[in-house]
Amino acid sequence: MAQSLDEIVKVNVIVSPMAQSAGTFDIGLIVGKSKVIPDSERVRIYSSLTDMKAGGWKESDPEYAAATLYYSQTPTPSKIVIGRWDEGETSSEAVAACRAANGDWYACYVTNATKDDIEVTAAAVEAMEPASVFFYTTSDEDVKTGATGNIMETLKNKGYKRSFGQYSTTPHAAAAAMGYAMGANTGGANSAYTMAYKTLVGVAPEPLSTTEVQKILELNGNVYTNYGSKFKLLVQGKVASGVHFDEVLNLDMLQAEIQIGAVNALVMAQKIPQAEDGLSLLMSAIAEQCQKSVTRGAIAPGVWKGPPILTLQRGDTLSKGYLVLAGRIEDQTQEERDARLAPPIYVPVKMAGAIEHVVINVTVNR
């Protein structure tokens, strides 16, 4: 009988745990009251309109109509989640149930939502985890006239930063905006985008006066309308709080990536020593995630104009667009060491921003 080679050379194969991703930010959810999806499932994922038809959806279904606008945009989204709104539920309860059933989607749209539906859904999405954004359509005349109590004014006054409202008489117009937002978010190099001045396929431009458009924009709303004799454009790409949608999206992605990067570092290491070397490992994992935002074009080099953070002073240049700073291990208390806490880590970033308004002075000399 031959002896085992393990007596001479023993080989142990150790496979590192698989790193986890920060999730998806390019899939939309459409919620409606059709009964195609069984109550026991709550949500289904589809890759195309053809896929939806094969699943029993009809062109007359509101969810299918909204999905048609969603999939008509360029770039085209790769997937969509359709959720069921059960009888007796509020729209916010339906969206929350869809979130519990599926965590892949980032943006959501509720078909045939009333003013009350929009308000309660906006409140629910504002506090939802993982972070999400609510797109809604309103054709309420009070919006374009700026009448007190209109839905855009209500959400603006509440400072909601996760509600993207679009005034339109085209049913489900905001599903088209959601489709563009999800399709354009490829995550590739220089893929960062804004929602301003985009074309929405399948949406009719609103024939509004300049005053009416300004009323909507002052409410931090959005509208698809005519500019000049050639252009049909979506303006202005903001959420109810007045923040640009792309900033909300990019910061959500950055936060999720930093979090998962730090957790991956903790999980994949046998041990991260509570020493400068261990802290450096964590900081490197965070910097690696920040670099993804640089690659996308969401973060760019610039001058720091915020308050001082450790060694970073106002007026200093962030040459990479971000910096990872941390307190010193040697300054930790014994209680912090006993609790195995890392010193506070700070990540100042400089958003790349975007140019959306231009003044050009032409000087003519004869």
Side-chain angles (χ1 to χ4, degrees), residues 53 91 108 113 130 148 151 155 168 220 248 327 358:
K53 277 193 173 181
S91 57
C108 65
T148 300
I151 186 60
L155 301 190
S168 182
N220 296 331
V248 175
V358 181

Side-chain angles (χ1 to χ4, degrees), residues 23-155:
T24 54
F25 292 83
D26 60 353
I27 299 176
L29 165 76
I30 294 176
V31 178
K33 295 183 177 180
S34 300
K35 302 186 184 303
V36 175
I37 300 173
D39 182 50
S40 58
E41 288 187 49
R42 181 60 77 167
V43 299
R44 283 183 178 174
I45 303 174
Y46 300 95
S47 59
S48 65
L49 292 174
T50 301
D51 195 14
M52 286 185 66
K53 277 193 173 181
W57 293 93
K58 300 176 182 177
E59 293 184 7
S60 57
D61 292 327
E63 296 90 334
Y64 188 92
T68 299
L69 289 174
Y70 177 85
Y71 270 121
S72 294
Q73 309 313 307
T74 303
T76 304
S78 60
K79 293 179 182 178
I80 192 169
V81 177
I82 305 296
R84 174 167 168 161
W85 180 355
D86 282 343
E87 187 175 347
E89 287 183 323
T90 64
S91 57
S92 59
E93 290 171 339
V95 172
C98 290
R99 169 54 85 211
N102 182 281
D104 291 339
W105 55 270
Y106 174 68
C108 65
Y109 178 82
V110 177
T111 60
N112 303 332
T114 65
K115 180 179 177 180
D116 289 341
D117 292 333
I118 292 169
E119 187 172 354
V120 297
T121 305
V125 171
E126 197 70 19
M128 191 165 283
E129 291 185 4
S132 309
V133 176
F134 173 47
F135 285 73
Y136 71 89
T137 308
T138 179
S139 58
D140 191 341
E141 292 286 310
D142 287 348
V143 169
K144 70 178 184 179
T145 62
T148 300
N150 70 75
I151 186 60
M152 287 187 176
E153 180 187 63
T154 298
L155 301 190

Side-chain angles (χ1 to χ4, degrees), residues 35-325:
K35 302 186 184 303
V36 175
I37 300 173
D39 182 50
S40 58
E41 288 187 49
R42 181 60 77 167
V43 299
R44 283 183 178 174
I45 303 174
Y46 300 95
S47 59
S48 65
L49 292 174
T50 301
D51 195 14
M52 286 185 66
K53 277 193 173 181
W57 293 93
K58 300 176 182 177
E59 293 184 7
S60 57
D61 292 327
E63 296 90 334
Y64 188 92
T68 299
L69 289 174
Y70 177 85
Y71 270 121
S72 294
Q73 309 313 307
T74 303
T76 304
S78 60
K79 293 179 182 178
I80 192 169
V81 177
I82 305 296
R84 174 167 168 161
W85 180 355
D86 282 343
E87 187 175 347
E89 287 183 323
T90 64
S91 57
S92 59
E93 290 171 339
V95 172
C98 290
R99 169 54 85 211
N102 182 281
D104 291 339
W105 55 270
Y106 174 68
C108 65
Y109 178 82
V110 177
T111 60
N112 303 332
T114 65
K115 180 179 177 180
D116 289 341
D117 292 333
I118 292 169
E119 187 172 354
V120 297
T121 305
V125 171
E126 197 70 19
M128 191 165 283
E129 291 185 4
S132 309
V133 176
F134 173 47
F135 285 73
Y136 71 89
T137 308
T138 179
S139 58
D140 191 341
E141 292 286 310
D142 287 348
V143 169
K144 70 178 184 179
T145 62
T148 300
N150 70 75
I151 186 60
M152 287 187 176
E153 180 187 63
T154 298
L155 301 190
K156 175 185 176 181
N157 290 342
K158 291 186 176 184
Y160 286 166
K161 67 174 184 177
R162 301 191 171 277
S163 296
F164 184 102
Q166 183 174 342
Y167 174 83
S168 182
T169 54
T170 299
H172 315 302
M178 183 174 75
Y180 178 87
M182 297 298 93
N185 193 30
T186 63
N190 299 316
S191 61
Y193 63 92
T194 74
M195 292 297 288
Y197 315 135
K198 300 304 185 285
T199 298
L200 298 181
V201 178
V203 178
E206 295 299 317
L208 302 175
S209 68
T210 300
T211 299
E212 289 171 330
V213 171
Q214 287 305 310
K215 290 285 186 183
I216 294 169
L217 300 187
E218 287 169 5
L219 295 170
N220 296 331
N222 304 276
V223 64
Y224 189 60
T225 190
N226 295 296
Y227 279 83
S229 59
K230 302 283 187 182
F231 295 101
K232 301 172 184 177
L233 304 173
L234 176 67
V235 289
Q236 54 192 338
K238 290 184 177 181
V239 294
S241 66
V243 175
H244 292 276
F245 167 80
D246 59 284
E247 183 174 310
V248 175
L249 170 64
N250 288 322
L251 288 177
D252 282 347
M253 293 175 70
L254 177 64
Q255 180 182 9
E257 287 167 348
I258 288 176
Q259 182 180 53
I260 204 70
V263 172
N264 279 334
L266 291 167
V267 169
M268 298 180 74
Q270 253 189 313
K271 171 186 175 181
I272 294 181
Q274 199 166 4
E276 294 300 336
D277 285 350
L279 185 56
S280 294
L281 192 154
L282 275 174
M283 293 169 70
S284 294
I286 292 168
E288 182 180 349
Q289 300 304 315
C290 292
Q291 194 60 40
K292 293 179 181 179
S293 286
V294 174
T295 300
R296 287 193 293 265
I299 292 175
V303 175
W304 180 252
K305 296 182 180 179
I309 301 175
L310 297 182
T311 58
L312 178 66
Q313 300 297 314
R314 182 180 177 87
D316 288 350
T317 297
L318 295 180
S319 59
K320 294 181 180 179
Y322 67 90
L323 197 59
V324 183
L325 303 169

